[in-house]
């Protein structure tokens, strides 16, 4: 119980917040850099939403920071490269167009990109455990001219296309259990395997905190954008432990019938969930009469 912060004890319902949740270091850094840029320049753009949270993207737009699809969409201004990273092509293209580039790629992602290059340089086939379409995975794959194998889950593994010497890395927000299972399976399929556990500390801590909450509460709310990979992953991990787990973006998504008879309500969130949304939910729960 020490590792949790008790937020509320309202009649029979208690609300607990995951010890580690909300904005991670990489997201805080990206937001800080983007806001700094918006104070210096009139036109500030991010390639894709700066973070996968619609409410926060709306807030950023009010600060003059607008998401675009690609550098082709603008002719001037500042382009902020978000924490997920981009392919070197995007960077070069932005520079060629004369755009000012603020690189907010998380240092953890840069490390994974560098390790992938290193593994390829050593002659390993690079295997990325992660989501094929996630921008971070795309940035690594593009950097290696798509000469990589991407595995999302154990069921994707049939041994097709695998070399005898592989170098394995993980998307920084990967589920440790899934990464471990895939590495275990891969071991039986190759002759040589070099593994870097590139799951970042922030993701790992959020997974552990969420698992603890799922075990100790009778209702768990996972808060974050539906387009947030790390929030969706926390939801999947928690649902396996606690079937009364719901993924919500804000208090508007809470169905009060979920609270019926519940005494211990947990709140966890992904690395891209702003604290004002969590505070809003806590306030809302405080005002609810349990029944
Ligand atoms: S989740 Fe990890 S890798 Fe991704 S931005 Fe946050 S700290 Fe960086």
């Amino acid at each position: 119980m020490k590792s949790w912060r008790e937020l509320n004890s309202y009649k029979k319902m208690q609300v607990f917040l995951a010890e580690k949740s909300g904005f991670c270091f990489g997201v805080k850094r990206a937001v800080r850099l983007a806001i700094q840029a918006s104070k210096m320049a009139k036109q500030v753009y991010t390639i894709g939403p700066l973070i996968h949270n619609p409410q926060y993207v709306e807030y950023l737009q009010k600060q003059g920071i607008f998401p675009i699809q690609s550098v082709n969409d603008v002719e001037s201004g500042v382009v902020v490269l978000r924490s997920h990273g981009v392919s070197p092509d995007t960077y070069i293209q932005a520079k060629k167009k004369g755009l000012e580039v603020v690189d907010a790629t998380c240092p953890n992602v840069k490390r994974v990109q560098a390790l992938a290059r290193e593994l390829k340089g050593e002659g390993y086939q690079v295997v990325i455990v992660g989501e094929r379409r996630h921008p971070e995975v795309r940035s690594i794959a593009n950097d290696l001219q798509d000469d990589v194998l991407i595995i999302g889950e154990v069921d994707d593994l049939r041994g097709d296309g695998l070399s005898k010497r592989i170098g394995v890395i993980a998307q920084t927000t990967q589920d440790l259990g899934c990464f471990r299972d895939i590495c275990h399976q891969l071991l039986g399929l190759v002759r040589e395997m070099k593994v870097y556990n590139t799951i970042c500390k922030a993701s790992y801590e959020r997974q552990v905190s969420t698992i603890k909450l799922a075990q100790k509460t009778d209702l768990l709310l996972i808060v974050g954008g539906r387009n947030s990979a790390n929030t969706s992953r926390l939801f999947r991990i928690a649902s396996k432990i606690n079937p009364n787990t719901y993924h919500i973006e804000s208090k508007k998504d809470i169905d009060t019938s979920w609270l019926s008879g519940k005494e211990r309500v947990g709140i966890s969130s992904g690395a891209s969930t702003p604290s004002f949304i969590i505070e809003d939910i806590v306030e809302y729960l405080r005002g609810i009469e349990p029944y």
Side-chain angles (χ1 to χ4, degrees):
M1 196 63 75
K2 265 186 195 162
S3 59
W4 298 350
R5 189 149 50 97
E6 186 179 333
L7 289 178
N8 184 34
S9 176
Y10 183 76
K11 293 190 181 168
K12 281 170 68 186
M13 187 171 76
Q14 290 179 294
V15 180
F16 299 92
L17 187 64
E19 190 190 2
K20 298 286 180 183
S21 65
F23 278 8
C24 60
F25 140 80
V27 166
K28 281 184 191 160
R29 180 175 170 272
V31 166
R32 192 180 66 242
L33 290 172
I35 290 179
Q36 265 172 16
S38 74
K39 287 180 181 157
M40 316 283 280
K42 275 192 187 147
Q43 299 158 296
V44 179
Y45 306 101
T46 61
I47 303 172
L50 186 64
I51 59 170
H52 285 147
N53 186 278
Q55 291 80 6
Y56 203 77
V57 169
E58 218 178 289
Y59 163 78
L60 288 173
Q61 286 183 353
K62 288 180 189 149
Q63 315 296 312
I65 301 159
F66 295 91
I68 52 172
Q69 292 285 323
S70 81
V71 288
N72 294 328
D73 296 346
V74 289
E75 294 307 322
S76 60
V78 178
V79 171
V80 180
L81 307 181
R82 55 193 182 164
S83 56
H84 303 309
V86 295
S87 68
D89 287 356
T90 305
Y91 187 88
I92 293 165
Q93 206 187 344
K95 282 286 182 192
K96 263 191 190 163
K97 285 190 92 168
L99 302 171
E100 193 184 323
V101 177
V102 173
D103 189 357
T105 307
C106 178
N108 292 328
V109 174
K110 288 213 165 184
R111 176 176 168 262
V112 190
Q113 292 170 336
L115 286 173
R117 279 194 292 271
E118 183 185 299
L119 286 167
K120 189 174 177 185
E122 290 170 354
Y124 291 100
Q125 179 191 29
V126 176
V127 175
I128 309 172
V129 176
E131 288 144 273
R132 188 169 297 278
R133 294 185 180 189
H134 192 276
E136 178 188 321
V137 174
R138 292 301 334 140
S139 78
I140 301 164
N142 288 344
D143 190 20
L144 302 187
Q145 285 83 45
D146 278 313
D147 185 17
V148 295
L149 195 68
I150 303 167
I151 300 172
E153 37 194 280
V154 177
D155 292 346
D156 295 348
L157 250 181
R158 286 172 194 88
D160 306 342
L162 264 184
S163 299
K164 292 288 171 212
R165 293 178 76 230
I166 63 169
V168 190
I169 51 174
Q171 185 179 336
T172 52
T173 52
Q174 187 56 239
D175 163 12
L176 180 63
C178 173
F179 185 53
R180 198 189 285 128
D181 291 348
I182 288 174
C183 287
H184 183 77
Q185 290 288 326
L186 282 169
L187 258 183
L189 299 170
V190 298
R191 201 174 59 225
E192 185 183 336
M193 180 165 134
K194 189 166 180 178
V195 180
Y196 286 112
N197 177 1
T198 49
I199 297 170
C200 79
K201 187 167 172 258
S203 297
Y204 176 69
E205 287 175 342
R206 277 154 188 71
Q207 290 169 23
V208 171
S209 300
T210 302
I211 289 169
K212 282 186 189 169
L213 268 192
Q215 288 165 339
K216 303 288 182 186
T217 51
D218 45 20
L219 171 69
L220 182 57
L221 303 174
I222 307 288
V223 188
R226 297 204 191 285
N227 56 347
S228 159
N230 72 83
T231 305
S232 303
R233 189 166 291 113
L234 291 181
F235 170 71
R236 284 198 297 275
I237 292 171
S239 302
K240 286 182 193 158
I241 301 164
N242 185 339
N244 288 319
T245 299
Y246 298 91
H247 181 171
I248 60 170
E249 283 195 344
S250 72
K251 67 179 180 191
K252 289 187 195 135
D253 296 333
I254 299 175
D255 181 335
T256 47
S257 70
W258 299 344
L259 302 166
S260 175
K262 302 295 187 294
E263 294 183 3
R264 299 164 68 83
V265 178
I267 302 174
S268 185
S269 62
S272 49
T273 307
S275 55
F276 70 79
I277 294 183
I278 303 292
E279 284 157 16
D280 203 28
I281 290 169
V282 171
E283 273 310 301
Y284 174 76
L285 290 174
R286 276 189 177 145
I288 282 185
E289 186 92 10
Y291 56 95

